[in-house]
Amino acid sequence: SKFAIGPSHSEWEGKWISHPTDLESWSDTDAGAFWGNNRQGHQDVACRNWEKRRQLPVFRARLSSEALFDADGGGTSDNTADNEIQSALLVVSGLGSFRASMDGVPLSSSGPLDPPLTDFAQRVSYRGYDVTEMLARSGREEHVVGISMGSGWWDHRPLGGSFIRLFYFPHGAVTCVAQLYVTYKSGKTKVLLSTGDESAGWQVAKGHLRESSLFSGEYIDLQAMAAFDGWDTNSGWADNTSPKSSGKKHDWVQPQVYESDVTLESWRMTLEMKSHARNTNAKHKITPSHKLSPIGKLIPHEIPPVMPVERISPDEVYPLGNGRWMFDFGKGFSGMVRFDDGLPSPIVPEKYPRGHTVSTLNPGEEFITVVYGDSLELTRGDINIAVVAGMGLHDGGPTHRSKKAGDAEGKGGPCYPKDHIEAGSLLQRDVYILPKSGSNGDGQGTPEAKEGSFADARQSHFTTHAFRFAEVCCTAEPPSGVHGLAYRTAFKEWGDFGSSNVRINGGYELVKNAMNSNLLGLQSDCPHREKIQYGGDILADSPATLHLYDMSAFYRKVVWDWGDQQWDNGAYAGTSHWLALNDYAGIGTGSGETVWASAPVVMTARHMQHYGDLRLLEESFENHMKWYKFLLSHFDKGMKAKDYADDLKGYMKEGSGLGDWLTFRGRDTWLTHQSFYMATARSIAYIATKLGKEDEISQALELATSVKNRIVNLYLHHGTFLPPEDAAAQLSPGPEMSLYSRVVPGQERCTVLQGYFRRKGHTWPGSDENRFVQEVSKATLNEMIESGEVTKRGDKWSMGWSQWHGFSEGIFAVRYALKTLSDNGFHNLALSKANGFGVGTFEYMLSHNATTHWESWWRSEDLYSHNHPMLGASAEWMVSAVAGVALHPTTTGGKEVLFWPRFPNSASTINYAWATQGTRRGDFSIAWRFEGLPEEGKDYDSAVVKIHIRLFVPPDGLAVFRFPEYSNGKGVDSTIKYATRLEDIEKVRRLSSEECQRRRTAKEGFDYNWEYDRKENTWIKVYRKKAIGTPCESFLFHFSLDETAWSSTETLAGSSDNGSEIELSPGLYDVMVDEWQLKPEVKGTKDWRIASIKEFYGSEDIGPYCSDTDTFEWNVEDASHLI
C-alpha cells in the first residue's frame, strides 16, 4: 500500500494496548536490575518475569460493515454514491517492532525494524497505510486488521551485556497503537478501530514467535504458525472467550491499556544522575524503581522504512558433515536467509556441532538451526561466531580463546540464553521448531487441527543478522530455494565509482557493502555486535555515506536523536542513546568524548551543505548552542582534570580520549579534543551565518580562532606540526588533520607538508599476523620478504604497516591523509596508500576474503568486527580525487559541484576513473581516461599521452571545473567542447550498467585469497576469480555516445597558476588534455614499504602548491573543511 502521513500526537484517539500477561509480568526492581553491582537477586527476578512474556503477541480487530457504513459516520444503509468512501488511512505503531496487515494482505513493506530506534520515552514514529482501495472495492464485506509484534529495542531479553548496556533504554510490555481514518465523499470523517476502545473489539494472543531478539535471533514455532494461518482474515476470526487469559497462551483475549508507572521527568532524572550530568539528591534515586517506562509522543515516520533491497543467491553450498550445510552468499550484508521451498525434515546427529545445540525445548520437539556469520574460522572451516557475538558476549572461540570459558554468560547475567552457553558466544541464530510426529507439542493450547511442517518455514520476522555465511543444521540434504534477503533503510542510492584499479575498486565495495549493512533505521557501527549510533563513527564516515545515498531524512533524524538525548546542562553524549559507554573519555559532567559528542552540530552543517534544509538549522540551533555553551563552561576545566597540562609538558603518549581510533600508532587525543572543540565553534558560526545571527557568528568565530591559535602555538615548531614533546611525534593524527582543516597557517603549510613525509611505518606485533608468518611455507615467506611485506622485528620475521604504501591512520586521519595529499599536489602518494599491499591495506582485506570493510586494518579473529565502515571515508576520497567530483565547499543544498580530477604519475597505477555524485539538483558525473597508451606496459612510466575527460552537469545544476596541472607547475594546453544535442542519458546509463554487470558475473575482479590447509596447518595463496573490484568504464565513454553532436572546440592555454577554473552550466562536456607526461612512481629506498620518503622531505621542490597565493584560511561558508 501507499504510505501516508496522519495525525499529530494530540489528534490520536487510540491508546497503547498490550497482552494482559505482558503487563502483569513486571516488578519494581526490573528497571534497575542491571544498574549496579550486587544486584543478582533483582536480575533473577527480571529474568523470570521476562520469561513469562517471552512469547510475542499478535493483535487484531474486525471492522464491521455496520461501523463502516452506519448513518452517523457519513455513510448510509443504502451506501449511495454521495456517501462512498473517499479515502481510508490506517495509522499504526508498535513497540518493539510491528508489521500491519489487512485481510491477510501485508501492509508493511517495511522490514523487521519498525519503528526505527528513537528514545521511545520521548518520541515514537508511526506509519500510515492507504487502505482506500481495499475498503472501497469490497462493498459490504467485513475486514480484519492484524498487527504482529517483535520485541525490538523495547522488551529485549534482559542481559548485562559486555559494553552494550541496553538496560539504560526505556522498556516495557510489547504494545501497539492504531486507528483507522475513513473519509466519505460527503466530506465527513470518522475514526474507527482505535486501540484502547473496548467497542473496537481488539483481541490479542500469543503467536508463533517464542522469542525474537535483535541480537540473538528468533525461535519460530512452526506448529503455532500453521495454527494461526489466516488469523488476520475474516474467515479466521473468532470472538473472545474471556477478557483474561485462560492460561493457554495461544488463546485470543481482550488486551489491556498500557499505563506507565513513572514520568518522563523522573526517568530522565535517573539517567542524568547516573551519567553525572546532574548532581544526586535525596528526592530522586539514581537507580530507577518502576515497571513500565513512559512512551513518548507519536510522530509521523521521519525516514524511509527498512526494506529488502536485494535478493542474493548463494555462490556456493557445501557440506560440513553431520547434516550441517554451509551457504556462502558471496558478500556480507544485513538481513536473513529466506527458504522459498521451506526446510527439509531434520535429522539428529550423534553430537550437534558448535553453535547448533538447543537444550531448552520440550523433549517432544525437534528443530533446525540457522547460524549466521561474517567470516569463517579458517583453522576449523566453520563460522567464526566470536566476531559477530551480540553485545560482545563471547569467549574468543576454541582457536582464539581470548577470554576465559564462561565469560559470556557470566557478563550476560542469569538471563543469558542457556542454548548459547555451549557455543561460548551470544549467537546470531534462528531456530525453527516443530513437535515430533505424534507429539502433542508444547501443551499450551496450540490447536491440533494443523500440525505444521518444516516445509512451511520461510524466514525470521523481527530481527536481522549480519552475514555472508549461514550454516543450516541438521538435515540429510541441503534446503533448496535458498536466498539471502538484504535489508537497508530504503533511501535513494545515488553515488557510484569505478576505475581500472582492482584494489581501489575493491576498497570502495568494501566500504559500500559495510555501509549497506549498517543503515537499518540508524547508522550503526557494526550490524551484529552493537547495532547502535556512535557519534565518532558517523563523523568519520559520513562523507562517504553522503556520497553514496540521499541521507537528507536519515541525518535529520540523527540530529533529533541526539537532541532527545541531550542533558539539561547542554552536554551531548558520545552515542545517540546514553549507555554509559566511554564516558571516561569525555570531559565529564555527562559529556561524551568531545569528538563523538560533536556529531550532531557538525552533521547539521554537513546536512546544510548537501540538502539546504534551513528548517533543520532553525529547529536544532538552540540545542547546539546549549552544547556550545556547555563546552565554554566545562572544556578547559575538563581537559585539566584529564591531566593535560596547558603547555603539554610531559605529554608523550595518548591521553584520555578515543581520538583517531584504531590507528596503528598511538592517538593524539589532546589534538582531537581541541580540534573538535574548534569544529563545534566553526559549525555554530556556519549555522548562524545561514540564519543571520550576527552575535553568534562573531562569538563562535572568536572561539574557533582562539582554539586554532592554541593548537598552532603548541604544535608549530621547527617546520613541523607535532606535539611539543619529541616522544609524541609519532601519534595520530599527525599534521594531516590540521593541514586539511586549515589550522596550519597558509605560509607554513608546505614546510609542514615536507616534514610530514618524514613519517614512517613499523613492524606489527599482531597475534594473527605473527601466527600467519609462522604458518606459511618457507618459499612463501621468502616471497614476502622479497616484496617487503615482511621485515625483521628483533630476531623474528614480522609483517609491517606502511605510512606511504598503506594505511597507518585511524578513523579520522585516514580521510585527512588522503585528502591532504591529493589536494596539495601529492595525489600519487595518496594512490600509493590505497593501492598498497600487506597489512593495513585494501589488498590485505581482500586477500583474506573480505567483502565488507573491517573495523581494524589488521586481522582480528576474536575481537574486531569484519563488517564495520568506520574507516570508510576513503570511499569519498576515491570519488572526489581519484575520479574528481565533490560538492563545492561553499555550496548549500548541493547546488554546485567541483570537478577536480587528479592523475597518477604512472598509468600502471590507474589509467581511468569515473564517478557519479547525486544531489537534490540531479546526478553530476565525471569520467577520465588516458588515451594513446603504449602497447607495452613497461612504457606506462614514461610515455606522453592524452587525458580524455567527460563531464555531465544535470539540468538544474551548476559546476566548476578545475583544470589539471603538471606536478612541476608548468601549464598544459586543453581543449573543451559541449554536446549540442543530448542523447538519452538514462538509456546510456542502463546499457553501460548492463555491460558492467556482465563483467561482474564473469568475475573479473580481485583474483586471489589466502586459505588455510587444515591438514598441513599452512596458509596457501589460492587464485580464484571474484566479482569484487571488477573494473568497468563509465557510461560517459559508452559507444552509444560516439555519434554525439559537439560544439566547436575551444582551446585553453596552459598556465603555471594552480587552480585555474571555469564555470559550467548544465550539459555534457568533452575535455582533451594534450601531451601529458607519465613518469615512475616513487617507491623509496631500503625497507621501502615501511620507510619514510627522503625524495620528498629532502627535496627543495615540494610541489606547485607552495607558490599558491591562497591564504589557506578557513571560510565560514565552507562546510567541507570546518574539520
Side-chain angles (χ1 to χ4, degrees):
S1 67
K2 294 180 290 184
F3 294 108
I5 294 178
S8 66
H9 179 70
S10 62
E11 295 172 322
W12 272 82
E13 296 181 13
K15 299 176 182 177
W16 292 94
I17 57 173
S18 299
H19 194 288
T21 298
D22 294 348
L23 290 173
E24 294 164 0
S25 56
W26 292 85
S27 300
D28 290 340
T29 57
D30 289 1
F34 293 87
W35 276 48
N37 298 323
N38 303 317
R39 307 188 69 81
Q40 182 69 44
H42 292 165
Q43 292 177 15
D44 289 337
V45 171
C47 184
R48 289 195 297 271
N49 284 338
W50 179 83
E51 289 286 355
K52 296 175 186 176
R53 59 182 187 274
R54 176 185 176 193
Q55 190 119 4
L56 278 304
V58 292
F59 298 84
R60 67 181 182 181
R62 181 165 59 177
L63 177 64
S64 68
S65 58
E66 290 80 6
L68 192 59
F69 294 111
D70 69 4
D72 292 335
T76 69
S77 57
D78 296 328
N79 193 20
T80 62
D82 287 340
N83 290 298
E84 294 176 353
I85 294 173
Q86 177 72 39
S87 65
L89 177 68
L90 177 68
V91 287
V92 185
S93 189
L95 294 174
S97 303
F98 76 93
R99 279 194 173 106
S101 59
M102 178 175 277
D103 301 334
V105 177
L107 300 177
S108 298
S109 53
S110 52
L113 304 171
D114 208 1
L117 179 62
T118 55
D119 182 348
F120 294 140
Q122 298 193 64
R123 79 188 202 280
V124 182
S125 64
Y126 67 84
R127 297 209 179 268
Y129 306 101
D130 185 345
V131 294
T132 306
E133 186 177 351
M134 299 181 75
L135 297 185
R137 72 186 178 197
S138 59
R140 305 284 301 186
E141 292 181 11
E142 297 185 329
H143 303 273
V144 175
V145 171
I147 305 174
S148 54
M149 302 297 300
S151 57
W153 295 100
W154 182 245
D155 191 22
H156 44 78
R157 177 184 283 267
L159 292 174
S162 178
F163 48 87
I164 301 303
R165 305 175 179 96
L166 297 186
F167 43 83
Y168 291 128
F169 281 16
H171 55 269
V174 169
T175 181
C176 72
V177 64
Q179 59 194 38
L180 174 67
Y181 286 90
V182 181
T183 300
Y184 301 87
K185 290 186 177 180
S186 64
K188 295 183 179 180
T189 297
K190 67 186 304 187
V191 180
L192 303 170
L193 298 185
S194 297
T195 50
D197 179 355
E198 290 191 14
S199 65
W202 281 90
Q203 300 179 349
V204 61
K206 293 290 187 174
H208 70 280
L209 293 180
R210 295 191 185 177
E211 181 178 348
S212 178
S213 167
L214 293 180
F215 288 90
S216 55
E218 293 188 342
Y219 287 69
I220 301 166
D221 184 334
L222 295 172
Q223 184 185 51
M225 188 172 78
F228 274 81
D229 184 38
W231 66 275
D232 54 352
T233 65
N234 197 44
S235 61
W237 181 266
D239 291 330
N240 284 346
T241 57
S242 170
K244 283 279 189 177
S245 175
S246 66
K248 294 183 178 181
K249 61 187 174 187
H250 296 298
D251 282 356
W252 290 100
V253 299
Q254 182 177 326
Q256 294 181 5
V257 173
Y258 179 106
E259 294 181 343
S260 174
D261 56 328
V262 64
T263 65
L264 174 61
E265 179 187 20
S266 178
W267 168 243
R268 289 281 297 176
M269 189 80 70
T270 60
L271 289 172
E272 291 207 359
M273 289 190 294
K274 186 67 174 178
S275 71
H276 304 292
R278 181 187 294 269
N279 292 330
T280 59
N281 59 62
K283 185 178 179 181
H284 294 277
K285 296 179 180 179
I286 293 181
T287 303
S289 179
H290 65 266
K291 298 177 182 178
L292 303 173
S293 292
I295 299 177
K297 65 180 180 181
L298 283 159
I299 60 171
H301 58 91
E302 299 171 297
I303 60 174
V306 173
M307 295 175 65
V309 294
E310 189 176 3
R311 182 179 172 93
I312 304 170
S313 299
D315 274 2
E316 192 175 5
V317 182
Y318 55 90
L320 295 175
N322 289 321
R324 183 169 51 150
W325 302 94
M326 179 70 78
F327 290 79
D328 177 359
F329 291 92
K331 72 173 183 179
F333 57 96
S334 285
M336 69 281 293
V337 172
R338 167 81 181 181
F339 301 102
D340 286 344
D341 300 335
L343 289 166
S345 296
I347 61 172
V348 179
E350 291 186 12
K351 181 181 179 180
Y352 278 97
R354 182 176 63 105
H356 293 276
T357 299
V358 182
S359 59
T360 56
L361 302 183
N362 294 305
E365 293 177 323
E366 53 189 354
F367 61 89
I368 292 174
T369 48
V370 185
V371 172
Y372 299 82
D374 281 337
S375 58
L376 301 181
E377 214 313 323
L378 292 178
T379 61
R380 297 170 52 91
D382 57 3
I383 284 176
N384 184 334
I385 59 178
V387 293
V388 297
M391 305 184 193
L393 293 171
H394 67 88
D395 61 13
T399 303
H400 301 273
R401 188 174 296 281
S402 56
K403 305 174 184 178
K404 63 181 182 297
D407 185 76
E409 61 267 30
K411 288 187 175 180
C415 232
Y416 185 87
K418 302 298 185 287
D419 288 344
H420 295 225
I421 291 176
E422 172 269 340
S425 294
L426 191 65
L427 297 161
Q428 289 192 118
R429 185 176 74 172
D430 294 326
V431 183
Y432 294 89
I433 307 162
L434 191 69
K436 297 176 183 176
S437 179
S439 169
N440 290 325
D442 61 8
Q444 295 296 316
T446 303
E448 297 181 7
K450 297 181 180 180
E451 295 183 354
S453 167
F454 281 101
D456 297 333
R458 290 297 181 266
Q459 67 184 72
S460 52
H461 300 74
F462 294 103
T463 186
T464 58
H465 308 286
F467 66 103
R468 170 183 168 177
F469 301 94
E471 295 176 11
V472 177
C473 186
C474 298
T475 61
E477 298 293 332
S480 61
V482 177
H483 295 87
L485 295 181
Y487 280 80
R488 193 200 72 215
T489 302
F491 35 59
K492 181 181 180 182
E493 185 176 315
W494 64 13
D496 205 0
F497 167 84
S499 77
S500 64
N501 188 297
V502 170
R503 292 177 184 174
I504 294 177
N505 296 345
Y508 182 86
E509 289 190 53
L510 292 175
V511 175
K512 182 177 179 179
N513 290 340
M515 288 292 191
N516 279 332
S517 302
N518 280 279
L519 292 166
L520 283 76
L522 74 169
Q523 186 167 339
S524 56
D525 66 325
C526 59
H528 29 57
R529 185 184 66 204
E530 294 163 67
K531 296 179 181 264
I532 61 171
Q533 287 185 149
Y534 287 88
D537 298 59
I538 291 175
L539 283 176
D541 57 37
S542 58
T545 318
L546 289 162
H547 151 67
L548 284 163
Y549 317 103
D550 178 358
M551 300 291 285
S552 53
F554 194 96
Y555 277 153
R556 189 185 308 117
K557 174 186 176 292
V558 165
V559 173
W560 291 131
D561 287 345
W562 257 278
D564 281 349
Q565 171 281 311
Q566 188 175 33
W567 304 131
D568 283 352
N569 67 2
Y572 283 131
T575 51
S576 60
H577 298 74
W578 180 78
L579 298 176
L581 250 177
N582 302 319
D583 283 8
Y584 76 92
I587 57 172
T589 325
S591 170
E593 206 271 7
T594 310
V595 181
W596 270 242
S598 298
V601 64
V602 175
M603 290 307 301
T604 301
R606 289 179 178 173
H607 194 279
M608 183 65 186
Q609 182 189 27
H610 281 259
Y611 309 115
D613 187 349
L614 197 64
R615 183 179 176 184
L616 176 64
L617 272 58
E618 294 168 342
E619 294 179 347
S620 63
F621 188 68
E622 182 179 351
N623 290 345
H624 299 331
M625 282 301 296
K626 287 172 63 179
W627 167 240
Y628 170 81
K629 292 175 181 178
F630 171 86
L631 290 176
L632 277 175
S633 298
H634 295 86
F635 183 82
D636 290 342
K637 291 184 293 186
M639 292 294 282
K640 286 183 179 180
K642 296 168 79 67
D643 294 326
Y644 292 107
D646 288 343
D647 60 359
L648 287 186
K649 187 174 182 179
Y651 179 58
M652 293 179 286
K653 60 181 180 179
E654 58 192 45
S656 178
L658 301 176
D660 196 30
W661 189 245
L662 289 190
T663 171
F664 277 106
R665 303 174 179 276
R667 290 168 283 123
D668 189 347
T669 53
W670 184 90
L671 180 60
T672 49
H673 277 298
Q674 298 286 344
S675 296
F676 278 84
Y677 182 24
M678 177 193 71
T680 289
R682 285 181 171 183
S683 297
I684 292 293
Y686 176 90
I687 295 168
T689 299
K690 306 307 176 190
L691 297 177
K693 296 180 178 290
E694 296 298 330
D695 290 344
E696 287 84 351
I697 296 170
S698 60
Q699 293 168 14
L701 285 176
E702 183 179 351
L703 176 61
T705 302
S706 174
V707 178
K708 182 187 106 168
N709 291 340
R710 178 189 302 175
I711 298 170
V712 171
N713 290 339
L714 285 171
Y715 275 55
L716 183 61
H717 50 91
H718 307 301
T720 66
F721 202 86
L722 297 168
E725 297 277 7
D726 290 343
Q730 294 302 318
L731 297 179
S732 184
E736 62 270 58
M737 182 169 73
S738 299
L739 283 163
Y740 179 78
S741 57
R742 309 299 195 254
V743 170
V744 175
Q747 67 273 18
E748 300 286 347
R749 71 183 182 279
C750 289
T751 304
V752 169
L753 189 63
Q754 193 171 32
Y756 179 39
F757 296 135
R758 293 182 179 273
R759 295 207 133 194
K760 60 180 68 175
H762 207 287
T763 53
W764 174 243
S767 58
D768 286 297
E769 280 72 32
N770 283 344
R771 188 179 295 114
F772 181 93
V773 171
Q774 295 166 8
E775 294 178 338
V776 295
S777 68
K778 189 173 181 179
T780 300
L781 179 60
N782 287 335
E783 290 175 5
M784 297 174 76
I785 294 169
E786 182 67 24
S787 71
E789 184 173 358
V790 168
T791 53
K792 274 292 181 73
R793 182 182 178 91
D795 61 351
K796 295 182 178 179
W797 292 109
S798 173
M799 289 188 182
W801 52 268
S802 175
Q803 173 64 35
W804 305 112
H805 306 284
F807 297 109
S808 68
E809 300 82 5
I811 180 173
F812 295 105
V814 61
R815 176 176 183 241
Y816 299 132
L818 292 169
K819 300 281 279 189
T820 296
L821 291 169
S822 291
D823 290 355
N824 287 280
F826 293 92
H827 182 60
N828 60 310
L829 280 184
L831 285 171
S832 177
K833 290 173 74 66
N835 190 43
F837 63 89
V839 66
T841 65
F842 299 137
E843 182 274 344
Y844 189 68
M845 295 185 198
L846 294 166
S847 70
H848 285 278
N849 223 14
T851 59
T852 50
H853 207 293
W854 296 348
E855 183 177 10
S856 62
W857 291 116
W858 53 92
R859 268 180 65 224
S860 174
E861 303 297 343
D862 61 349
L863 179 58
Y864 294 118
S865 171
H866 290 195
N867 190 338
H868 202 296
M870 76 174 187
L871 292 165
S874 56
E876 187 274 336
W877 162 81
M878 296 174 197
V879 174
S880 63
V882 179
V885 58
L887 293 195
H888 195 281
T890 60
T891 195
T892 58
K895 294 189 289 286
E896 186 174 34
V897 306
L898 173 63
F899 288 123
W900 185 15
R902 269 62 63 90
F903 309 105
N905 284 351
S906 169
S908 60
T909 302
I910 187 169
N911 56 63
Y912 68 80
W914 57 269
T916 292
Q917 177 60 63
T919 75
R920 287 295 181 88
R921 299 300 181 101
D923 294 344
F924 294 79
S925 298
I926 184 172
W928 66 263
R929 64 187 182 189
F930 289 138
E931 294 186 350
L933 284 168
E935 294 183 2
E936 296 290 332
K938 64 181 178 62
D939 296 324
Y940 276 22
D941 291 348
S942 57
V944 176
V945 298
K946 296 179 183 293
I947 305 176
H948 195 175
I949 306 170
R950 280 190 175 162
L951 313 164
F952 178 74
V953 182
D956 197 27
L958 297 172
V960 170
F961 176 54
R962 183 172 296 177
F963 281 86
E965 312 98 353
Y966 273 118
S967 61
N968 61 9
K970 295 181 180 179
V972 54
D973 290 348
S974 303
T975 60
I976 186 169
K977 57 186 177 182
Y978 60 89
T980 57
R981 180 179 56 83
L982 277 178
E983 301 294 328
D984 184 344
I985 289 294
E986 292 308 312
K987 179 181 178 181
V988 177
R989 287 181 196 271
R990 186 180 70 254
L991 293 172
S992 180
S993 177
E994 290 171 356
E995 289 184 15
C996 184
Q997 188 55 49
R998 285 192 287 272
R999 297 193 63 170
R1000 291 186 63 84
T1001 301
K1003 298 184 176 181
E1004 297 181 15
F1006 196 82
D1007 62 357
Y1008 62 89
N1009 59 269
W1010 293 101
E1011 292 190 0
Y1012 193 75
D1013 185 329
R1014 291 187 291 279
K1015 292 182 179 180
E1016 302 295 330
N1017 295 324
T1018 301
W1019 289 94
I1020 55 175
K1021 183 181 282 189
V1022 176
Y1023 287 86
R1024 179 179 289 116
K1025 295 170 66 176
K1026 300 179 185 179
I1028 191 167
T1030 296
C1032 295
E1033 284 238 37
S1034 167
F1035 75 93
L1036 291 175
F1037 285 122
H1038 192 265
F1039 67 85
S1040 59
L1041 291 177
D1042 289 349
E1043 302 303 319
T1044 300
W1046 298 97
S1047 69
S1048 58
T1049 299
E1050 180 182 353
T1051 300
L1052 300 167
S1055 170
S1056 60
D1057 292 335
N1058 294 300
S1060 298
E1061 297 177 345
I1062 62 170
E1063 294 183 354
L1064 301 177
S1065 56
L1068 175 65
Y1069 296 85
D1070 189 275
V1071 179
M1072 189 69 75
V1073 181
D1074 290 328
E1075 298 184 356
W1076 188 267
Q1077 178 68 59
L1078 300 175
K1079 57 185 178 181
E1081 300 288 4
V1082 174
K1083 187 174 182 179
T1085 53
K1086 182 182 178 184
D1087 295 333
W1088 67 273
R1089 190 174 169 276
I1090 62 173
S1092 56
I1093 301 184
K1094 188 175 181 180
E1095 287 85 342
F1096 294 129
Y1097 71 74
S1099 172
E1100 293 183 3
D1101 180 10
I1102 197 64
Y1105 293 82
C1106 289
S1107 60
D1108 198 328
T1109 57
D1110 182 2
T1111 62
F1112 214 62
E1113 288 296 314
W1114 177 71
N1115 178 352
V1116 73
E1117 302 282 352
D1118 181 355
S1120 296
H1121 299 95
L1122 62 82
I1123 189 62

